[in-house]
Amino acid sequence: MQNAVILINTEKGQVKAVAERLADVEGISEVYSTCGRYDLVAIARTPDFESLAELVTERLNAVEGIRDTETLNAMQVHSRHDLETMFSLGW
């Protein structure tokens, strides 16, 4: 399982439209609009690194209205929650 946080800036006036498009992209489990340096934060959950790479380099590039991104690949999870349930893709 590969998890990543994708920080996204959109074209002016495109935050809501981009968030809605991203929510429909396979591999994106959640999208948050935020205050601060980035317009959106997307949580990616993929079965392997190759799927994550394809998501970031191909599927996200096809989403109209994205100006730039920064991807933070998760290395370790530190949580008291049931991570297996939280990060399950149901595959």
Side-chain angles (χ1 to χ4, degrees):
M1 172 71 62
Q2 290 291 309
N3 299 307
V5 175
I6 305 170
L7 308 172
I8 301 162
N9 281 315
T10 68
E11 299 296 335
K12 187 174 182 174
Q14 293 293 307
V15 172
K16 184 176 180 182
V18 170
E20 290 172 356
R21 289 181 198 120
L22 285 171
D24 291 333
V25 173
E26 182 182 348
I28 299 294
S29 63
E30 298 131 69
V31 181
Y32 300 95
S33 57
T34 62
C35 298
R37 185 174 168 189
Y38 296 96
D39 298 319
L40 299 169
V41 173
I43 307 301
R45 303 185 202 294
T46 61
D48 52 43
F49 185 77
E50 290 76 19
S51 300
L52 178 62
E54 192 268 333
L55 168 67
V56 171
T57 61
E58 295 181 30
R59 283 185 249 152
L60 291 189
N61 280 338
V63 176
E64 187 177 331
I66 292 178
R67 190 174 70 225
D68 56 67
T69 65
E70 182 174 348
T71 302
L72 307 174
N73 194 11
M75 295 172 32
Q76 278 187 310
V77 179
H78 306 273
S79 176
R80 292 189 177 119
H81 299 286
D82 182 355
L83 298 176
E84 194 62 37
T85 301
M86 286 175 49
F87 294 128
S88 174
L89 292 174
W91 295 353

